[in-house]
Amino acid sequence: MSTRYPFTAVVGMDDLRLALLLNAVSPAVGGVLVRGEKGTAKSTAVRALAELLPQVAVVAGCRFSCDPASPDPGCPDGPHGDGGADARPARMVELPVGASEDRLVGSLDIEKALADGVKAFEPGLLAAAHRGILYVDEVNLLSDHLIDHLLDAAAMGASHVEREGVSVRHAARFLLVGTMNPEEGELRPQLLDRFGLTVEVAASRVPEERVEVVRRRLAFEDDPAGFAGRWAGEEAALRERIVAARELLPKVALGDAVLLQIAATCAAFEVDGMRADIVMARTATALAAWAGREEVTSEDVRRAALLALPHRRRRNPFDAPGMDEDKLDETLERFKGDEPEDDPDPGPDGPGDGGPGGGGGVPPQGGEGPAPETDGVPEQAPAQAPEPAPEPEHAPRGAAGERAAVKAGEPFRTKTLSVPGLGEGAAGRRSRARTQNGRTTGATRPQGTLTKLHLSATVRAAAPHQRARGRSGAGLVVRRDDLRQAVREGREGNLVLFVVDASGSMAARRRMGAVKGAVLSLLLDAYQRRDKVGLVTFRGRAAELALPPTSSVDAAAARLEELPTGGRTPLSAGLLKARDVLRVERLRDPSRRPLLVVVTDGRATGGGPDPVGLAARAARLHAADGTASVVVDCEAGPVRLGLAGGLARDLGGTAVTLDELRADAIAGLVREAQVNRSVRRAA
């Protein structure tokens, strides 16, 4: 067994260590989501926590870790008699991002179930994590169907495996810990809310602390066992402190004045539902027990709010997580009642802070200050597109007439743009696709492990052979060749590649604010539909890949906000750059179909001696590749040249104006695109 890096040897990151330890004291807090840049020891700290957890008593021989004091009456290995009890270390089970559904929830032998009526069940990771830790690295990249199972298990404390009327249920209560890099995309709100606490981590900018991090890591890699031995005393002391805090926890009093502060804080920050109030109460209680106190104070409530609320107050993916600490202090002071004096808190690691090597400093945890509050996206789109603010007469300009970036207009709800046909890409919410979940449309022979049984097709395949197989009883004699896999149709996520015109012609008419607002709205739609997004911009003499395809819609919105305008319009360069990007992405992920969204007024004034002809030829290359496309026509004014419509015809796609992007008229775009494609094929 490999030696893990000691928890007490982690330098700094007090917020992360405290959040993990509070969950060790009170698993009811509900887990931790760790957000931060790559290379900040997120996974190292989480894996080290497992070594600090007390041992658990389990029923001897039970694959589902039943508690001998209160065994699960519905356990598949039960009923449990007086089979004795074993003690084992608490488990930390890792869920890989690419795991299959059967690996997570377990698998049922359908052939035995149909032929013999026997529930031959092989437990999955949810069973292994029961009464322990379920750790998901890069949790924001987890597939939707796995997230659905996690949500069900976290909500009910049990996992259900259903296979056409044959079902198995077992207990699955675990501490959910996830780590993620926000640059790679955000979490679904439903899963985000299931994490009790959230922590932002960042590498220290203090040279001395960085030196200590490197020194300890190199020492660990040179001699893992020896390094762990030098920290054994601090680990043992911290383990004893966790046990003491667990014993004190039931004695901690949560007074009415403190409960009022908790409720007032959640109401002031307009968090959804009541889960935040409950998590704050449990966290504040655990903080008091961790500090060795039997009463909760205002300071406990404040620290609980900073850990439990930031991820619950976001209204859309473009809101920065964080808290207005001044507002928090004002709320706590306003509802402060009589309470005991705060005791000094010795810190998250207690006696371990001053262990061998020293240097246990605290790096910055959440930037330079509290994030400003932002409003959510309005539920209803306004009747008309907002007019962009007029550009000042002396707007700042850079080289070659470049104008500074303008603020995006207010985002709005858009109608769905989808790729025609039937795909087989990653599960999402945009285009039709063959998926593991969805409505059943047919049956086929299984390729590999059977996951979704088509019962009637299996019975029809087995029925003609019953006499030859010597059937004499009521049971159906089923062979492996009779089994049929259900073919299901659902929705997939696509690669939405935006090609945005940032030339002077867009800025001259002061339309860039409205254009950015439209692209921001489409980005929000892409986030909700589980798409990858990329951003190509063109202006001046060339095109630029402003953002390679990514799952982080936040990153795309940030790049869009910083986008300056000015110069000529090399439309052909933008289209060719987009084609290069799509070519590479087809090699990386051939099952994910692309949707090209070109945002332009259709003008072409750069890129060669015949810019209009070059743009038309570049567009026809996309049409030859079979790329689905939509042109968002940004042309404005009483006189319109209709150039964007011609570009859409060359692309083999559809053109839509900024106004139509909001209107019900766009509902016919997909049908029109399909008709156009059919006409071209017939020709």
Side-chain angles (χ1 to χ4, degrees), residues 384-392 406-410 412 506-518 634 636 658-659 662:
Q384 294 182 350
E387 289 293 330
E391 184 181 318
V406 299
K407 184 177 177 59
E410 188 71 20
F412 53 85
M506 301 290 285
R509 289 162 180 78
R510 301 172 183 174
R511 287 178 277 120
M512 203 58 193
V515 169
K516 284 187 176 182
C634 302
L658 287 175
D659 290 336
R662 300 169 174 268

Side-chain angles (χ1 to χ4, degrees), residues 418-441 487-494 591-593:
S418 61
V419 178
L422 190 65
E424 296 181 349
R429 295 184 175 182
R430 185 170 295 278
S431 305
R432 293 175 55 228
R434 296 185 182 91
T435 59
Q436 291 293 324
N437 300 286
R439 63 186 182 90
T440 301
T441 59
V487 177
R488 303 196 174 197
E489 182 179 312
R491 294 280 171 176
E492 67 176 358
N494 298 109
S591 62
R592 189 180 289 270
R593 297 186 296 163

